């Protein structure tokens, strides 16, 4: 079965679906660099639970889980099929996980996927994150899910390298970052390149401006699932780096180099 390295994408504002700028084509190029998956497990910052949970809907609806945006954004749909059989595989790897049989695809999943795989012809399910649980818990979940990477499944973690909506600058040009965003990004990327797992798991205390970059942790937690699924010796390759609205770092990483 085809090996597919796990990926983390910073999905940014939903407006990228109407005005993709540089980001949409970069996501498409990233998808083209990977083997075509038989199915996708999307780990979304926008599905928050108290316990591990996976969706198992055969025909997931497109969830428009955002407010105050232009009407055309709410008319978009991503009609990818679900993958109940993949949910069974996940449940086999994570005994006791909650299986949600009516959960659709939130924009943490369908926003990047609509650019990566616009034909919507690859089955997709979602894995939730647990904001009250630490990075280490999510890294452990990823390690348990690692067999999926050897079965043709793309573990697509979707969140944001920084995510503070209170700091958004509406008229900031793409690429212009607030100073703390750049400092947090530099620390995090350096730690990834060094494979400094203890520092990364302790990011709340060690990363500069951690509380401002992430007032809540849900947008960074998917990254730790991807890291865990990649294995101990995998390296993080930056495939895209940009900034949107001053406060949203749009970095994307492929966790490669640890093939079985």
């Amino acid at each position: 079965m085809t090996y597919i390295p796990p990926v983390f994408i910073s999905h940014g504002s939903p407006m990228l679906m109407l005005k993709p700028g540089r980001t949409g084509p970069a996501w498409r190029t990233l998808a083209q660099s990977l083997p075509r998956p038989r199915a996708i497990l999307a780990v979304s910052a926008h599905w928050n639970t108290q316990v591990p949970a996976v969706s198992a809907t055969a025909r997931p609806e497109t969830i428009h889980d955002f407010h105050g945006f232009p009407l055309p954004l709410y008319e978009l749909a991503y009609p990818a099929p679900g993958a109940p059989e993949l949910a069974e595989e996940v449940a086999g790897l994570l005994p006791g996980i909650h299986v949600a049989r009516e959960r659709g695809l939130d924009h943490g999943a369908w926003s990047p996927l609509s650019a990566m795989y616009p034909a919507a012809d690859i089955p997709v399910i979602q894995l939730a994150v647990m904001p009250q649980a630490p990075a280490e818990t999510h890294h452990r979940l990823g390690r348990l899910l690692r067999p999926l990477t050897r079965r043709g499944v793309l573990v697509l973690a979707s969140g944001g390298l920084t995510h503070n909506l209170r700091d958004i600058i509406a008229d900031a040009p793409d690429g212009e970052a607030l100073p703390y965003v750049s400092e947090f990004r530099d620390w995090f990327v350096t730690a990834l390149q060094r494979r400094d797992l203890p520092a990364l798991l302790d990011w709340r205390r060690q990363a500069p401006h951690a509380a401002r970059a992430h007032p809540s942790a849900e947008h960074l937690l998917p990254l730790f699932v991807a890291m865990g699924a990649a294995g101990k010796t995998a390296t993080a390759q930056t495939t895209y780096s940009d900034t949107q609205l001053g406060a949203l770092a749009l970095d994307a990483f492929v966790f490669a180099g640890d093939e079985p």
Side-chain angles (χ1 to χ4, degrees):
M1 187 68 74
T2 302
Y3 169 78
I4 303 180
V7 170
F8 172 77
I9 281 180
S10 300
H11 59 248
S13 165
M15 284 299 293
L16 286 172
M17 296 304 94
L18 297 181
K19 298 178 180 179
R22 298 185 291 249
T23 305
W27 288 347
R28 180 63 176 151
T29 298
L30 170 57
Q32 292 171 342
S33 74
L34 301 170
R36 179 177 171 83
R38 70 172 176 90
I40 298 168
L41 177 62
V43 187
S44 173
H46 290 273
W47 186 18
N48 298 168
T49 59
Q50 296 291 324
V51 298
V54 65
S55 67
T57 310
R59 294 180 178 84
E61 66 172 326
T62 302
I63 303 173
H64 299 88
D65 53 332
F66 39 74
H67 305 282
F69 288 91
L71 179 60
L73 197 54
Y74 299 91
E75 297 172 343
L76 296 179
Y78 189 74
E85 69 286 351
L86 176 56
E88 292 180 9
E89 290 184 62
V90 172
L93 296 170
L94 305 176
I97 190 172
H98 172 67
V99 179
R101 303 195 181 278
E102 297 183 0
R103 173 77 186 185
L105 299 178
D106 60 55
H107 85 272
W110 67 261
S111 174
L113 286 174
S114 64
M116 296 175 73
Y117 303 104
D121 57 352
I122 299 175
V124 185
I125 62 171
Q126 288 196 208
L127 185 77
V129 295
M130 299 168 287
Q132 284 70 44
E136 184 176 4
T137 297
H138 291 82
H139 187 263
R140 192 180 310 121
L141 282 178
R143 290 177 62 184
L144 293 172
L145 293 170
R146 185 168 179 253
L148 297 178
T149 68
R150 303 189 293 269
R151 301 175 188 169
V153 175
L154 171 60
V155 177
L156 176 67
S158 175
L161 191 60
T162 61
H163 190 265
N164 188 335
L165 300 184
R166 292 190 295 270
D167 282 347
I168 282 177
I169 303 171
D171 59 352
D174 288 352
E176 183 175 290
L178 291 167
Y180 84 87
V181 171
S182 298
E183 292 175 27
F184 181 89
R185 167 194 275 147
D186 290 347
W187 181 91
F188 211 94
V189 171
T190 297
L192 282 172
Q193 292 171 341
R194 292 176 177 172
R195 301 182 192 169
D196 192 347
L197 184 59
L200 290 164
L201 294 180
D202 194 32
W203 69 275
R204 270 292 188 205
R205 292 195 302 171
Q206 297 193 34
H209 316 291
R212 188 174 180 187
H214 289 280
S216 56
E218 76 283 344
H219 272 74
L220 196 59
L221 293 175
L223 181 144
F224 294 102
V225 179
M227 283 179 58
K232 293 181 179 180
T233 63
T235 58
Q237 301 175 357
T238 300
T239 63
Y240 183 63
S241 183
D242 205 347
T243 308
Q244 181 186 29
L245 303 173
L248 303 180
L250 297 180
D251 296 64
F253 308 103
V254 173
F255 291 92
D258 194 18
E259 295 188 34

